[in-house]
Amino acid sequence: MLWINLAGLLMIVFIVWWFWLFTPAQNEADGEHPIPILVKNGVYEPARIHISPGQTITLSFLRKDPSPCAEVVQFPDLGMSISLPVDNSYNVRLPPLQKGEYNFHCQMQMYRGTLIVD
Ligand SMILES: [Cu+2]
């Protein structure tokens, strides 16, 4: 009897998690949640990020590469240049963007990424 109650409880927990708690994690580009970007081994991960026009988006850069190459991330179209700390997430808030593609890269343009606003 206890078993059945326990199984039922687990089922409820699972359903709550699946329908209410799990869903927001999929909507990373909805403007509420920062989009994590890993800076490691010469690449931004992900390097192509889809976002919606007119939304205020936050990118959360986690720089794992201590080399000076990875230090600065530049958004030339937005006139932004940001120094990233090593091993600490750093949030970069972007202004609302119009449709189009916006490149971002390190100073030497070895790290490269693209924001796709569509
Ligand atoms: Cu570089």
Side-chain angles (χ1 to χ4, degrees):
M1 199 60 190
L2 183 69
W3 256 109
I4 294 165
N5 289 342
L6 214 62
L9 194 70
L10 279 175
M11 199 67 190
I12 290 165
V13 168
F14 176 76
I15 288 167
V16 167
W17 175 78
W18 181 261
F19 286 100
W20 285 282
L21 304 180
F22 180 67
T23 312
Q26 295 183 318
N27 306 332
E28 282 172 347
D30 65 359
E32 285 179 48
H33 306 276
I35 301 168
I37 300 174
L38 194 61
V39 183
K40 196 180 172 187
N41 298 332
V43 287
Y44 294 122
E45 213 183 295
R48 292 174 71 81
I49 297 147
H50 284 267
I51 60 178
S52 301
Q55 282 195 328
T56 313
I57 295 291
T58 301
L59 304 177
S60 182
F61 284 93
L62 179 55
R63 175 185 168 202
K64 285 288 183 185
D65 180 354
S67 76
C69 176
E71 186 185 351
V72 175
V73 59
Q74 297 177 327
F75 295 81
D77 302 319
L78 310 178
M80 293 168 74
S81 181
I82 299 118
S83 289
L84 303 174
V86 180
D87 283 335
N88 274 311
S89 289
Y90 191 85
N91 284 356
V92 176
R93 211 166 161 78
L94 301 176
L97 300 172
Q98 295 181 330
K99 281 189 181 187
E101 297 204 351
Y102 302 82
N103 292 321
F104 57 98
H105 50 71
C106 72
Q107 277 172 313
M108 291 140 277
Q109 304 203 24
M110 293 162 83
Y111 280 90
R112 290 164 162 278
T114 310
L115 294 168
I116 300 132
V117 185
D118 54 10

